[in-house]
Amino acid sequence: MVITKPTSFEVEAPFNATSIGTAVVCCSDGRFVPPMDEFLHQGMGIERYDCLALPGGAGCLAGHFAAWREEEAASMQLKFLIEMHALHRIVLIAHPDCGFYSKRLRLFGSEIEHAQRRDIVTAAHRIRGLAPHLELDAFISRRMPAGMIFEAVKL
């Protein structure tokens, strides 16, 4: 199969230079993007957001030795976004079957969700250390027979 790549492509959507104010820290797993977008747009009313997507999402900000390089990089990127985009809100989202937890941290089954819940709270505390003024929300998603459900995590 040959894939043709355009040399240029014009879109009709304009660039909106106004501040967004919200960033989402999530896993970079592309399978998770459509349900997450639907939740953010329709469930939370967040039309636009900055996205810090990295394997494990907030798990990379939870102090795991196996991810110390990612944590340092993610913290720097998040601090940059907070300052440059005048963020006032961060949303942390975890998803089921996350490869970061199974492959990097070697957790399985129910251990993964338990670790995600713990990590999302730890990550929220670290983010508050970067910018205490931020509003923080956290969610764990779970598969349902006909889609996904996003449940709030108490911070």
Side-chain angles (χ1 to χ4, degrees), residues 73-141:
S75 294
M76 290 174 56
Q77 293 169 23
L78 193 53
K79 187 173 182 178
F80 176 83
L81 289 173
I82 291 166
E83 293 171 1
M84 292 301 297
H85 294 180
L87 298 180
H88 60 82
R89 182 183 198 185
I90 306 265
V91 180
L92 307 171
I93 303 176
H95 73 92
D97 303 322
C98 183
F100 173 83
Y101 285 89
S102 63
K103 300 295 185 211
R104 180 70 64 88
L105 301 183
R106 301 192 187 286
L107 299 174
F108 302 97
S110 63
E111 291 178 312
I112 292 176
E113 185 175 328
H114 292 299
Q116 287 174 318
R117 288 183 179 280
R118 183 183 61 242
D119 288 354
I120 222 163
V121 171
T122 301
H125 289 294
R126 289 179 185 259
I127 292 168
R128 281 200 175 102
L130 294 174
H133 70 280
L134 290 172
E135 177 185 343
L136 289 167
D137 295 298
F139 297 88
I140 298 277
S141 62

Side-chain angles (χ1 to χ4, degrees), residues 3-10:
I3 299 174
T4 57
K5 299 177 187 174
T7 55
S8 68
F9 188 85
E10 185 175 332

